[in-house]
Amino acid sequence: MSRVLILPGLFGSGEGHWQRYWLQDQPDGRLVDQDDWDHPNLPDWMARLDAALEEAGEAYIVAHSLGCLLAARLAGRPTARRVKGALLVAPCDLPATEALHAGHISFGTMPTETLPFPSMTIGSLNDIYMSLDRLTMFGHLWNSDIRNIGLAGHINVASGFGRWPSGYGLLEMLKARAKHRRPRRSISAAAATA
């Protein structure tokens, strides 16, 4: 059974957040813990994610908010080969997030590279951290399946999401998609058969 790595966003996913419930509900779930949840720094956070993926061998990622951007930053990194799929829930838009939480985030620019693993991006009509237009644009850039779940805010405790059991169905859909994915061949292997 593949591990499920939980990636919270800014300030972590506190008590009552659906990611905390998922850690309890998923026997294979593991939190990718960070030293500083209040002042995210991309190199530090990425080092923790790389280490967790190396330890896991292979894993699914379940990310929320800034955690989605961390997962999207795996494009082009060696550890991306260990990701079977990523559920990206309510990704945040860095300009909006930096305006709402000035001085907290050091995360560079928005990731725009195509993800080398299957992904599903979940958003809503009224998320103050990312408009639906921007969510759709980044979802397309990442080559991700995009799901709009309606008036769901930032899909967090403040918008009424506790355990969020319907999210498990989305994770299972992602897992099914990953199972039917054809393995990628390396460039040298493709050239050898041409």
Side-chain angles (χ1 to χ4, degrees):
M1 180 178 290
S2 296
R3 183 167 282 172
V4 175
L5 298 180
I6 304 290
L7 307 184
L10 178 63
F11 307 127
S13 294
E15 195 66 33
H17 193 285
W18 60 267
Q19 284 187 314
R20 293 292 170 172
Y21 285 113
W22 283 32
L23 284 166
Q24 295 170 18
D25 296 345
Q26 298 277 328
D28 52 350
R30 177 172 175 250
L31 176 71
V32 177
D33 206 358
Q34 301 293 344
D35 286 331
D36 190 347
W37 290 111
D38 296 347
H39 299 92
N41 175 282
L42 181 58
D44 294 344
W45 279 34
M46 184 57 75
R48 286 294 183 95
L49 177 55
D50 282 341
L53 285 166
E54 290 292 346
E55 180 188 327
E58 63 178 20
Y60 289 95
I61 288 175
V62 175
H64 181 255
S65 194
L66 194 62
C68 298
L69 305 191
L70 181 64
R73 285 283 180 195
L74 284 168
R77 294 183 69 81
T79 50
R81 74 189 186 287
R82 298 185 179 280
V83 179
K84 295 188 76 172
L87 186 65
L88 308 173
V89 181
C92 66
D93 195 357
L94 282 175
T97 307
E98 288 166 348
L100 290 165
H101 303 285
H104 278 272
I105 302 168
S106 178
F107 237 68
T109 59
M110 288 294 292
T112 58
E113 289 186 54
T114 299
L115 298 180
F117 42 78
S119 66
M120 187 180 295
T121 300
I122 313 300
S124 79
L125 294 169
N126 61 334
D127 188 346
I128 63 170
Y129 288 93
M130 183 178 273
S131 69
L132 188 58
D133 288 346
R134 296 274 288 173
L135 177 104
T136 302
M137 180 184 78
F138 285 107
H140 285 302
L141 288 170
W142 299 334
N143 192 33
S144 186
D145 289 342
I146 303 163
R147 304 292 168 117
N148 169 2
I149 63 169
L151 296 171
H154 195 47
I155 313 175
N156 60 3
V157 175
S159 51
F161 286 82
R163 191 173 292 275
W164 193 37
S166 61
Y168 290 127
L170 297 170
L171 179 58
E172 291 308 311
M173 286 172 61
L174 175 69
K175 286 180 176 181
R177 180 179 168 211
K179 283 180 187 170
H180 297 298
R181 178 178 172 225
R182 288 178 19 198
R184 293 180 315 182
R185 295 190 305 174
S186 69
I187 293 170
S188 58
T193 61

